Amino acid sequence: MLSDDVVIAQELPIDAPLTPIEVGTDAGAPAAESLVNNDVPAARPGIFRRVGRGIYRATTWCFGVLSLVLALAVISWVPILQFASLGYLLEVCGRVARTGRLRDGWVGIDQGARMGGIAFGLALLLAPLVMLRMFARSARLIDTGGSRDALLTWLLVAMAVLGVIHFLSAMWRGGRVRNFLWPAPIRTLRIIREVLSHPLATYRTARDTTCAFLESLRLPYYLWLGARGALGGIIWLFIPVTILVLGRKLPALGVLGGILFGIVLLYLPFVQARFAAENRFGAMFEIRRTRRLFVRAPVMFVLALLLTLALAIPLYLTKVEMIPADAAWLACLVFVVFNWPARFITGWALARAARREHPRNFFIRQLARVGMLPIVAAYTLIVYLTQFTSWYGVVSIYAQHPFLVPVPFLAFEY
């Protein structure tokens, strides 16, 4: 249990600069010379335009969050890429821990909105083509080689060509939802003329833009971060979970495994968050420093632990029956939705503790320690009972989705 009241003077280095490259301005640099007459004030947009821009930004942000959640759920379903999903959630926790601001945890929202716009636009273009293809196939079966068959075939080819042109034009104009909804024929003709006039320069521009966008996704970084985070979680959990599993035949071992598992739960969410904040694997096993942080923000630590374990319980309900392969990503969606808030609060708890120099009141610390015990005891009991309700039996106890890769399934029904 977190019981070290000793406080060190050195602050936890979780306020280091963010790992991603951030583009900003130098506060000490001289302002650039303005080419506009400063005596003439810029016209302020009207109230309706400002409201419209605000609604547009809010809608785009919500669409980006929704797209990002769906993307994380999909890659959580794919082997190996599962580590990228865990790595992203760890990065969210690490950023909040380093900066102490919840808004910094919204990572990659712009990229999510762009990917969601591309997926939406592609689905929008494919829907009429799929319907027309069904009509063309029916016409070929009924009137093979007839006028209707030929008409629908040529119409399908023409729509496919126009669809490809519109898709490439929308991608060239930004790949947002509005680019797919509005064909912009004049702009498309200009793009075609530019492509035909300077094909090599156009290819280089498209290549550089695509590579820059793919690099902004930082997939290798998230894969590496998630793989190390999962490895650290396995090291923490393997022995207690194994003893807990053996307790099915030896009750004494079950009690010992439950106690060890509860102790691990007291530390693992926070050492994993510190690893994400510092991007240092050794932080995963620094127990004393985590205990010193606890005494500075005990209430926040209790709240983070409660939220982490409580939001992990709903996914155990999806283990009762074997889930078909084509619906498994829905369970991954549940994981992302319920795990995301816990990462925010855990990072915030570490940030609050790092900003304080002195421990909290002695009675508050003791109440927090006592309050942690029923939380971990209830979660341990639920985890132990899942071996009798889960489709995969005792093996499912090893799939601790709050700390490991998000997919708690060992097989799918095909």
Side-chain angles (χ1 to χ4, degrees), residues 140-230:
R140 179 167 298 179
L141 292 175
I142 297 174
D143 187 18
T144 305
S147 58
R148 295 181 180 179
D149 181 15
L151 177 62
L152 290 176
T153 300
W154 281 106
L155 185 59
L156 178 61
V157 173
M159 287 191 63
V161 173
L162 291 177
V164 171
I165 294 175
H166 177 56
F167 178 79
L168 295 178
S169 173
M171 292 291 293
W172 185 270
R173 289 180 283 130
R176 298 178 176 85
V177 175
R178 65 173 184 267
N179 301 127
F180 289 98
L181 294 177
W182 177 246
I186 298 177
R187 180 73 182 279
T188 302
L189 292 177
R190 292 177 181 175
I191 294 174
I192 294 175
R193 183 177 61 183
E194 183 179 355
V195 171
L196 296 178
S197 302
H198 307 89
L200 185 58
T202 304
Y203 163 74
R204 290 174 178 172
T205 302
R207 179 198 61 191
D208 295 342
T209 304
T210 303
C211 291
F213 177 74
L214 293 178
E215 290 178 359
S216 68
L217 299 179
R218 307 178 67 216
L219 186 60
Y221 169 76
Y222 291 135
L223 279 171
W224 180 234
L225 185 66
R228 289 181 295 155

XYZ file of all heavy atoms in Angstrom, residues 140-230:
731
model
N -27.841 -7.469 -66.799
C -27.084 -8.447 -67.584
C -27.708 -9.832 -67.471
O -27.708 -10.606 -68.453
C -25.641 -8.468 -67.104
C -24.760 -9.476 -67.830
C -23.300 -9.226 -67.545
N -22.907 -7.898 -68.030
C -21.682 -7.399 -67.892
N -20.743 -8.121 -67.279
N -21.406 -6.205 -68.363
N -28.240 -10.177 -66.306
C -28.878 -11.482 -66.157
C -30.197 -11.549 -66.924
O -30.562 -12.601 -67.489
C -29.126 -11.771 -64.674
C -27.874 -11.991 -63.810
C -28.258 -12.151 -62.351
C -27.101 -13.212 -64.307
N -30.938 -10.429 -66.969
C -32.248 -10.429 -67.620
C -32.127 -10.224 -69.126
O -32.785 -10.905 -69.925
C -33.136 -9.332 -66.999
C -33.384 -9.646 -65.523
C -34.459 -9.225 -67.749
C -34.132 -8.549 -64.789
N -31.290 -9.265 -69.528
C -31.191 -8.894 -70.946
C -29.722 -8.832 -71.334
O -29.148 -7.766 -71.546
C -31.875 -7.543 -71.174
C -31.957 -7.171 -72.649
O -31.801 -8.077 -73.496
O -32.149 -5.977 -72.952
N -29.089 -9.988 -71.428
C -27.667 -10.049 -71.750
C -27.413 -9.534 -73.161
O -28.007 -10.013 -74.128
C -27.154 -11.485 -71.624
O -27.447 -11.980 -70.318
C -25.660 -11.550 -71.885
N -26.535 -8.531 -73.251
C -26.198 -7.959 -74.546
C -27.233 -7.002 -75.090
O -27.063 -6.473 -76.191
N -28.297 -6.737 -74.352
C -29.340 -5.837 -74.813
C -28.995 -4.373 -74.561
O -27.917 -4.008 -74.081
N -29.970 -3.522 -74.867
C -29.748 -2.078 -74.741
C -29.612 -1.657 -73.277
O -28.779 -0.811 -72.937
C -30.897 -1.319 -75.401
O -32.145 -1.686 -74.808
N -30.432 -2.256 -72.421
C -30.343 -1.893 -71.004
C -29.021 -2.338 -70.396
O -28.420 -1.613 -69.585
C -31.506 -2.520 -70.245
C -32.870 -1.986 -70.654
C -33.974 -2.626 -69.846
N -35.290 -2.110 -70.241
C -36.430 -2.512 -69.708
N -36.419 -3.446 -68.755
N -37.577 -1.985 -70.115
N -28.587 -3.513 -70.804
C -27.299 -4.007 -70.305
C -26.177 -3.074 -70.729
O -25.319 -2.685 -69.920
C -27.064 -5.416 -70.834
C -25.759 -6.005 -70.325
O -25.201 -5.454 -69.353
O -25.288 -7.002 -70.891
N -26.148 -2.680 -71.970
C -25.088 -1.799 -72.461
C -25.173 -0.420 -71.822
O -24.144 0.172 -71.450
C -25.181 -1.683 -73.983
N -26.406 0.109 -71.685
C -26.566 1.439 -71.107
C -26.075 1.476 -69.670
O -25.317 2.381 -69.281
C -28.036 1.847 -71.173
C -28.379 3.202 -70.533
C -27.645 4.326 -71.241
C -29.888 3.434 -70.546
N -26.479 0.511 -68.860
C -26.055 0.496 -67.458
C -24.555 0.226 -67.313
O -23.906 0.763 -66.406
C -26.857 -0.548 -66.687
C -28.339 -0.218 -66.468
C -29.055 -1.372 -65.775
C -28.474 1.052 -65.635
N -24.011 -0.576 -68.227
C -22.569 -0.841 -68.161
C -21.763 0.421 -68.430
O -20.818 0.761 -67.711
C -22.194 -1.935 -69.158
O -22.908 -3.145 -68.836
C -20.701 -2.211 -69.106
N -22.143 1.139 -69.508
C -21.429 2.379 -69.818
C -21.660 3.448 -68.741
O -20.747 4.219 -68.419
C -21.885 2.912 -71.180
C -21.251 2.191 -72.330
C -21.834 1.275 -73.159
C -19.898 2.328 -72.754
N -20.933 0.816 -74.089
C -19.735 1.448 -73.866
C -18.820 3.082 -72.329
C -18.517 1.331 -74.541
C -17.608 2.965 -73.002
C -17.473 2.105 -74.090
N -22.862 3.472 -68.177
C -23.133 4.427 -67.112
C -22.292 4.118 -65.872
O -21.779 5.030 -65.205
C -24.623 4.394 -66.758
C -25.099 5.428 -65.728
C -24.817 6.842 -66.211
C -26.585 5.240 -65.439
N -22.110 2.823 -65.580
C -21.288 2.434 -64.439
C -19.836 2.842 -64.656
O -19.177 3.359 -63.742
C -21.394 0.922 -64.229
C -20.546 0.326 -63.089
C -20.955 0.932 -61.752
C -20.676 -1.191 -63.061
N -19.335 2.635 -65.896
C -17.949 3.022 -66.189
C -17.770 4.536 -66.075
O -16.789 5.034 -65.511
C -17.547 2.521 -67.589
C -16.177 3.067 -67.980
C -17.540 0.997 -67.627
N -18.741 5.289 -66.618
C -18.647 6.754 -66.568
C -18.685 7.259 -65.132
O -17.899 8.144 -64.747
C -19.785 7.368 -67.384
N -19.578 6.692 -64.315
C -19.647 7.123 -62.917
C -18.383 6.742 -62.150
O -17.932 7.495 -61.270
C -20.875 6.514 -62.241
C -22.192 7.125 -62.673
S -23.564 6.594 -61.620
C -23.070 7.267 -60.039
N -17.799 5.606 -62.479
C -16.558 5.203 -61.814
C -15.424 6.167 -62.160
O -14.651 6.568 -61.275
C -16.193 3.776 -62.212
N -15.334 6.558 -63.434
C -14.285 7.500 -63.838
C -14.489 8.856 -63.166
O -13.545 9.455 -62.619
C -14.261 7.642 -65.365
C -13.298 8.746 -65.790
C -13.859 6.318 -66.016
N -15.729 9.338 -63.180
C -16.012 10.618 -62.531
C -15.773 10.532 -61.023
O -15.317 11.510 -60.402
C -17.458 11.031 -62.819
C -17.776 11.414 -64.266
C -19.255 11.733 -64.427
C -16.924 12.601 -64.724
N -16.103 9.395 -60.449
C -15.873 9.227 -59.015
C -14.398 9.273 -58.657
O -14.011 9.882 -57.663
N -13.573 8.633 -59.482
C -12.127 8.667 -59.233
C -11.587 10.088 -59.370
O -10.784 10.554 -58.550
C -11.402 7.711 -60.195
C -9.895 7.897 -60.102
C -11.774 6.263 -59.890
N -12.047 10.797 -60.404
C -11.595 12.182 -60.595
C -12.023 13.055 -59.418
O -11.240 13.869 -58.899
C -12.143 12.740 -61.927
C -11.537 11.984 -63.109
C -11.854 14.230 -62.042
C -12.108 12.390 -64.449
N -13.273 12.885 -58.981
C -13.759 13.689 -57.857
C -13.014 13.354 -56.567
O -12.689 14.255 -55.768
C -15.262 13.462 -57.679
C -15.830 14.183 -56.498
N -15.707 15.540 -56.316
C -16.512 13.721 -55.406
C -16.293 15.900 -55.189
N -16.783 14.808 -54.617
N -12.707 12.088 -56.362
C -11.985 11.689 -55.166
C -10.584 12.295 -55.146
O -10.144 12.856 -54.127
C -11.902 10.161 -55.082
C -11.125 9.659 -53.901
C -11.697 9.621 -52.648
C -9.809 9.233 -54.058
C -10.976 9.172 -51.552
C -9.085 8.778 -52.966
C -9.666 8.750 -51.709
N -9.875 12.198 -56.279
C -8.536 12.765 -56.338
C -8.567 14.283 -56.203
O -7.690 14.881 -55.563
C -7.864 12.358 -57.657
C -7.600 10.849 -57.832
C -6.991 10.575 -59.192
C -6.702 10.320 -56.719
N -9.581 14.916 -56.795
C -9.707 16.364 -56.683
C -9.971 16.771 -55.228
O -9.389 17.746 -54.726
C -10.828 16.875 -57.581
O -11.079 18.245 -57.364
N -10.854 16.037 -54.551
C -11.145 16.345 -53.148
C -9.921 16.137 -52.270
O -9.664 16.912 -51.342
C -12.315 15.488 -52.663
N -9.158 15.087 -52.557
C -7.934 14.860 -51.802
C -6.927 15.974 -52.043
O -6.234 16.421 -51.130
C -7.334 13.502 -52.189
C -8.156 12.304 -51.748
S -8.156 12.098 -49.949
C -6.438 11.684 -49.678
N -6.844 16.450 -53.282
C -5.913 17.529 -53.615
C -6.312 18.831 -52.923
O -5.455 19.616 -52.520
C -5.868 17.711 -55.129
C -4.850 18.713 -55.588
C -5.020 20.042 -55.765
C -3.488 18.437 -55.923
N -3.856 20.637 -56.199
C -2.885 19.665 -56.299
C -2.702 17.274 -55.947
C -1.561 19.755 -56.700
C -1.378 17.376 -56.349
C -0.824 18.607 -56.712
N -7.613 19.033 -52.746
C -8.099 20.269 -52.123
C -8.112 20.221 -50.601
O -8.505 21.195 -49.966
C -9.513 20.573 -52.638
C -9.554 21.019 -54.083
C -10.958 21.314 -54.550
N -11.707 20.102 -54.838
C -12.924 19.856 -54.371
N -13.510 20.716 -53.563
N -13.550 18.739 -54.689
N -7.703 19.110 -50.031
C -7.588 19.046 -48.577
C -8.119 17.773 -47.953
O -7.771 17.460 -46.820
N -8.975 17.037 -48.621
C -9.482 15.773 -48.093
C -10.454 15.923 -46.942
O -10.649 14.986 -46.164
N -11.079 17.100 -46.812
C -12.068 17.293 -45.759
C -13.451 16.914 -46.265
O -13.660 16.695 -47.450
C -12.048 18.747 -45.275
C -10.711 19.175 -44.671
C -10.738 20.616 -44.251
N -9.500 21.021 -43.592
C -8.409 21.428 -44.231
N -8.424 21.498 -45.565
N -7.322 21.765 -43.564
N -14.405 16.875 -45.323
C -15.758 16.454 -45.696
C -16.353 17.411 -46.717
O -16.995 16.999 -47.690
C -16.651 16.362 -44.437
C -18.089 16.045 -44.827
C -16.116 15.297 -43.489
N -16.131 18.708 -46.517
C -16.707 19.690 -47.444
C -16.130 19.547 -48.846
O -16.800 19.868 -49.834
C -16.473 21.100 -46.920
C -15.021 21.535 -46.857
C -14.924 23.004 -46.482
N -13.568 23.498 -46.498
C -12.770 23.530 -45.449
N -13.233 23.078 -44.277
N -11.540 24.001 -45.543
N -14.887 19.060 -48.947
C -14.293 18.865 -50.273
C -14.961 17.730 -51.026
O -15.030 17.759 -52.265
C -12.794 18.589 -50.143
C -12.054 19.712 -49.452
O -11.340 19.492 -48.482
N -12.230 20.945 -49.912
N -15.458 16.738 -50.309
C -16.149 15.626 -50.965
C -17.604 15.972 -51.269
O -18.170 15.460 -52.233
C -16.079 14.377 -50.085
C -14.719 13.774 -50.003
C -13.885 14.038 -48.921
C -14.243 12.934 -50.999
C -12.625 13.487 -48.837
C -12.985 12.367 -50.925
C -12.167 12.650 -49.839
N -18.202 16.817 -50.445
C -19.604 17.171 -50.674
C -19.765 18.129 -51.855
O -20.785 18.081 -52.550
C -20.188 17.801 -49.406
C -20.306 16.873 -48.185
C -20.836 17.641 -46.989
C -21.213 15.683 -48.505
N -18.794 19.002 -52.070
C -18.887 19.971 -53.159
C -17.866 19.619 -54.236
O -16.662 19.626 -53.997
C -18.638 21.374 -52.639
C -18.638 22.429 -53.722
C -17.584 23.177 -54.133
C -19.743 22.813 -54.534
N -17.940 24.012 -55.150
C -19.283 23.818 -55.423
C -21.079 22.412 -54.609
C -20.111 24.422 -56.358
C -21.895 23.022 -55.546
C -21.417 24.013 -56.402
N -18.318 19.296 -55.455
C -17.373 18.841 -56.493
C -16.429 19.924 -56.979
O -15.337 19.618 -57.459
C -18.300 18.365 -57.617
C -19.582 19.065 -57.387
C -19.712 19.254 -55.922
N -16.809 21.213 -56.937
C -15.959 22.326 -57.399
C -15.436 22.053 -58.798
O -14.247 21.827 -59.010
C -14.816 22.550 -56.424
N -16.310 22.069 -59.816
C -15.874 21.686 -61.170
C -14.789 22.588 -61.745
O -13.857 22.103 -62.403
C -17.168 21.770 -61.985
C -18.070 22.656 -61.200
C -17.729 22.444 -59.768
N -14.878 23.904 -61.501
C -13.864 24.800 -62.053
C -12.506 24.520 -61.426
O -11.471 24.447 -62.122
C -14.284 26.274 -61.828
C -15.607 26.554 -62.559
C -13.193 27.221 -62.294
C -16.131 27.954 -62.349
N -12.480 24.343 -60.107
C -11.222 24.018 -59.430
C -10.696 22.669 -59.891
O -9.476 22.490 -60.062
C -11.463 24.008 -57.924
C -10.231 23.679 -57.098
C -9.252 24.828 -57.078
N -8.046 24.507 -56.341
C -7.955 24.559 -55.015
N -9.005 24.968 -54.292
N -6.824 24.258 -54.405
N -11.580 21.706 -60.118
C -11.151 20.393 -60.592
C -10.519 20.494 -61.966
O -9.487 19.844 -62.244
C -12.343 19.433 -60.614
O -12.908 19.328 -59.299
C -11.910 18.048 -61.079
N -11.106 21.305 -62.861
C -10.526 21.477 -64.193
C -9.146 22.123 -64.110
O -8.231 21.759 -64.864
C -11.462 22.321 -65.059
C -12.801 21.655 -65.448
C -13.667 22.624 -66.229
C -12.545 20.393 -66.265
N -8.978 23.065 -63.195
C -7.668 23.679 -63.019
C -6.644 22.664 -62.505
O -5.476 22.675 -62.928
C -7.772 24.837 -62.049
C -8.562 26.035 -62.579
C -8.682 27.105 -61.514
N -9.462 28.243 -61.998
C -9.810 29.289 -61.237
N -9.432 29.331 -59.956
N -10.514 30.283 -61.747
N -7.085 21.800 -61.615
C -6.177 20.768 -61.103
C -5.763 19.813 -62.211
O -4.583 19.445 -62.335
C -6.848 20.012 -59.935
C -7.059 20.945 -58.740
C -6.014 18.806 -59.520
C -7.837 20.322 -57.607
N -6.737 19.424 -63.062
C -6.422 18.527 -64.174
C -5.446 19.190 -65.134
O -4.482 18.556 -65.621
C -7.720 18.104 -64.888
C -8.598 17.254 -63.953
C -7.401 17.320 -66.158
C -9.939 16.898 -64.546
N -5.663 20.454 -65.408
C -4.749 21.163 -66.316
C -3.357 21.277 -65.702
O -2.348 21.127 -66.398
C -5.310 22.554 -66.612
C -4.464 23.352 -67.618
C -5.119 24.671 -67.921
N -5.233 25.490 -66.699
C -5.827 26.685 -66.669
N -6.368 27.189 -67.788
N -5.903 27.353 -65.541
N -3.286 21.497 -64.412
C -1.983 21.582 -63.749
C -1.272 20.241 -63.766
O -0.048 20.174 -63.970
C -2.173 22.059 -62.314
C -0.866 22.238 -61.556
C -1.092 22.747 -60.145
O -2.267 23.044 -59.813
O -0.123 22.839 -59.385
N -2.031 19.173 -63.560
C -1.431 17.838 -63.591
C -0.891 17.523 -64.968
O 0.223 16.982 -65.117
C -2.452 16.782 -63.132
C -1.913 15.375 -63.363
C -2.792 16.967 -61.669
N -1.669 17.847 -66.008
C -1.220 17.568 -67.377
C -0.055 18.452 -67.796
O 0.802 18.038 -68.581
C -2.396 17.759 -68.348
C -3.566 16.786 -68.161
C -4.690 17.102 -69.148
C -3.109 15.342 -68.329
N 0.009 19.672 -67.247
C 1.082 20.592 -67.636
C 2.381 20.290 -66.903
O 3.469 20.381 -67.489
C 0.649 22.037 -67.354
O -0.536 22.359 -68.049
N 2.292 19.938 -65.605
C 3.492 19.681 -64.802
C 3.314 18.379 -64.038
O 3.072 18.385 -62.824
C 3.753 20.839 -63.830
C 3.790 22.180 -64.493
N 2.659 22.948 -64.665
C 4.832 22.881 -65.030
C 2.984 24.083 -65.266
N 4.304 24.060 -65.511
N 3.370 17.257 -64.730
C 3.103 15.978 -64.044
C 4.146 15.648 -62.978
O 3.811 15.145 -61.904
C 3.122 14.958 -65.185
C 3.918 15.606 -66.267
C 3.666 17.070 -66.150
N 5.424 15.921 -63.236
C 6.468 15.568 -62.274
C 6.364 16.421 -61.012
O 6.467 15.912 -59.883
C 7.847 15.734 -62.918
C 9.046 15.279 -62.068
C 8.899 13.817 -61.691
C 10.352 15.523 -62.818
N 6.150 17.723 -61.187
C 6.005 18.606 -60.019
C 4.758 18.246 -59.211
O 4.771 18.283 -57.971
C 5.947 20.056 -60.468
N 3.689 17.881 -59.915
C 2.465 17.482 -59.219
C 2.679 16.212 -58.404
O 2.219 16.094 -57.264
C 1.337 17.277 -60.225
O 1.161 18.464 -61.002
C 0.037 16.928 -59.525
N 3.399 15.272 -58.998
C 3.690 14.025 -58.290
C 4.513 14.289 -57.032
O 4.236 13.727 -55.961
C 4.434 13.058 -59.213
C 5.118 11.936 -58.482
C 4.387 10.880 -57.939
C 6.507 11.949 -58.311
C 5.015 9.860 -57.248
C 7.134 10.929 -57.625
C 6.391 9.892 -57.086
O 7.031 8.882 -56.404
N 5.514 15.162 -57.140
C 6.351 15.462 -55.983
C 5.551 16.145 -54.876
O 5.716 15.835 -53.686
C 7.517 16.347 -56.412
C 8.550 15.627 -57.291
C 9.589 16.608 -57.786
N 10.605 15.922 -58.594
C 11.558 16.560 -59.286
N 11.620 17.896 -59.248
N 12.439 15.871 -59.993
N 4.676 17.050 -55.263
C 3.850 17.737 -54.264
C 2.934 16.755 -53.544
O 2.809 16.776 -52.308
C 3.018 18.836 -54.930
O 3.893 19.767 -55.581
C 2.173 19.568 -53.908
N 2.276 15.883 -54.325
C 1.386 14.892 -53.716
C 2.157 13.922 -52.835
O 1.705 13.555 -51.741
C 0.631 14.141 -54.809
N 3.339 13.522 -53.287
C 4.151 12.594 -52.499
C 4.588 13.226 -51.185
O 4.471 12.605 -50.115
C 5.374 12.182 -53.314
C 6.329 11.223 -52.593
C 7.677 11.229 -53.264
N 8.278 12.572 -53.225
C 9.362 12.913 -53.928
N 9.948 12.033 -54.722
N 9.843 14.146 -53.843
N 5.085 14.459 -51.255
C 5.562 15.119 -50.034
C 4.409 15.372 -49.058
O 4.575 15.205 -47.846
C 6.245 16.440 -50.392
C 7.508 16.231 -51.219
O 8.027 15.100 -51.217
O 7.958 17.192 -51.886
N 3.265 15.771 -49.586
C 2.116 16.028 -48.703
C 1.640 14.750 -48.032
O 1.343 14.730 -46.831
C 0.973 16.658 -49.502
O 1.433 17.846 -50.155
C -0.191 17.001 -48.602
N 1.583 13.659 -48.796
C 1.146 12.381 -48.237
C 2.127 11.871 -47.187
O 1.729 11.408 -46.111
C 0.980 11.345 -49.349
O 0.056 11.827 -50.331
C 0.465 10.031 -48.798
N 3.426 11.969 -47.489
C 4.432 11.515 -46.520
C 4.392 12.355 -45.246
O 4.543 11.820 -44.142
C 5.818 11.567 -47.158
S 6.085 10.359 -48.477
N 4.188 13.663 -45.407
C 4.110 14.524 -44.222
C 2.910 14.157 -43.357
O 3.000 14.149 -42.117
C 4.032 15.983 -44.646
N 1.784 13.842 -43.993
C 0.606 13.458 -43.216
C 0.822 12.120 -42.513
O 0.462 11.957 -41.341
C -0.615 13.383 -44.130
C -1.866 12.917 -43.427
C -2.533 13.754 -42.558
C -2.354 11.637 -43.637
C -3.677 13.330 -41.896
C -3.497 11.200 -42.991
C -4.156 12.054 -42.124
N 1.420 11.164 -43.205
C 1.677 9.863 -42.589
C 2.664 9.989 -41.430
O 2.522 9.310 -40.406
C 2.208 8.883 -43.640
C 1.213 8.475 -44.733
C 1.885 7.544 -45.737
C -0.020 7.812 -44.142
N 3.663 10.859 -41.574
C 4.595 11.076 -40.479
C 3.916 11.737 -39.282
O 4.277 11.476 -38.139
C 5.771 11.931 -40.957
C 6.700 11.213 -41.926
C 7.823 12.117 -42.410
O 7.849 13.296 -41.989
O 8.647 11.645 -43.203
N 2.934 12.602 -39.564
C 2.235 13.266 -38.459
C 1.412 12.282 -37.629
O 1.085 12.576 -36.472
C 1.325 14.375 -39.004
O 0.235 13.827 -39.741
N 1.060 11.133 -38.199
C 0.340 10.117 -37.433
C 1.218 9.450 -36.383
O 0.694 8.897 -35.407
C -0.224 9.049 -38.378
C -1.231 9.534 -39.427
C -1.683 8.366 -40.299
C -2.430 10.187 -38.765
N 2.531 9.459 -36.587
C 3.502 8.950 -35.606
C 3.209 7.510 -35.193
O 3.285 7.151 -34.023
C 3.541 9.857 -34.378
C 3.761 11.303 -34.697
C 3.741 12.160 -33.459
N 4.878 11.867 -32.623
C 4.841 11.880 -31.284
N 3.703 12.138 -30.665
N 5.917 11.636 -30.579
N 2.859 6.680 -36.174
C 2.508 5.296 -35.878
C 3.671 4.509 -35.285
O 3.472 3.768 -34.302
C 1.983 4.623 -37.149
C 1.438 3.210 -36.988
C 0.279 3.191 -36.005
C 0.993 2.651 -38.340
N 4.906 4.614 -35.801
C 6.016 3.864 -35.163
C 6.232 4.267 -33.706
O 6.531 3.411 -32.857
C 7.228 4.217 -36.037
C 6.655 4.618 -37.351
C 5.359 5.287 -37.041
N 6.087 5.552 -33.409
C 6.266 6.001 -32.025
C 5.217 5.382 -31.109
O 5.542 4.896 -30.005
C 6.185 7.525 -31.970
C 6.103 8.079 -30.570
C 7.228 8.135 -29.760
C 4.895 8.543 -30.059
C 7.154 8.643 -28.468
C 4.816 9.052 -28.770
C 5.941 9.093 -27.982
O 5.856 9.591 -26.708
N 3.967 5.387 -31.533
C 2.904 4.807 -30.713
C 3.075 3.300 -30.572
O 2.774 2.732 -29.514
C 1.538 5.134 -31.304
C 1.165 6.597 -31.206
C 0.618 7.283 -32.290
C 1.359 7.298 -30.027
C 0.281 8.621 -32.198
C 1.027 8.637 -29.927
C 0.486 9.292 -31.008
O 0.166 10.615 -30.920
N 3.534 2.633 -31.639
C 3.777 1.194 -31.549
C 4.847 0.886 -30.509
O 4.683 -0.017 -29.675
C 4.194 0.656 -32.918
C 3.088 0.376 -33.929
C 3.680 0.068 -35.297
C 2.219 -0.788 -33.473
N 5.943 1.627 -30.543
C 7.037 1.379 -29.616
C 6.631 1.723 -28.183
O 6.954 0.998 -27.238
C 8.247 2.181 -30.051
C 9.470 2.042 -29.200
C 10.187 3.047 -28.624
C 10.154 0.828 -28.838
N 11.260 2.555 -27.912
C 11.261 1.183 -28.032
C 9.921 -0.522 -29.099
C 12.126 0.244 -27.494
C 10.794 -1.456 -28.562
C 11.876 -1.074 -27.781
N 5.911 2.822 -28.003
C 5.460 3.208 -26.668
C 4.478 2.179 -26.115
O 4.566 1.783 -24.940
C 4.811 4.588 -26.726
C 4.384 5.192 -25.384
C 5.606 5.487 -24.519
C 3.572 6.474 -25.601
N 3.540 1.734 -26.941
C 2.569 0.752 -26.479
C 3.190 -0.600 -26.190
O 2.801 -1.279 -25.227
N 4.173 -1.014 -27.005
C 4.823 -2.306 -26.775
C 5.574 -2.306 -25.452
O 5.501 -3.267 -24.671
C 5.769 -2.622 -27.936
N 6.279 -1.221 -25.151
C 7.001 -1.153 -23.882
C 6.048 -1.028 -22.699
O 6.283 -1.607 -21.628
C 7.973 0.025 -23.905
C 9.170 -0.195 -24.823
C 10.103 0.993 -24.779
N 9.455 2.180 -25.326
C 9.791 3.415 -25.007
N 10.733 3.633 -24.097
N 9.173 4.443 -25.562
N 4.965 -0.273 -22.885
C 3.988 -0.176 -21.813
C 3.329 -1.513 -21.511
O 3.101 -1.860 -20.343
N 3.024 -2.277 -22.569
C 2.437 -3.606 -22.364
C 3.425 -4.559 -21.710
O 3.059 -5.365 -20.850
C 1.959 -4.170 -23.698
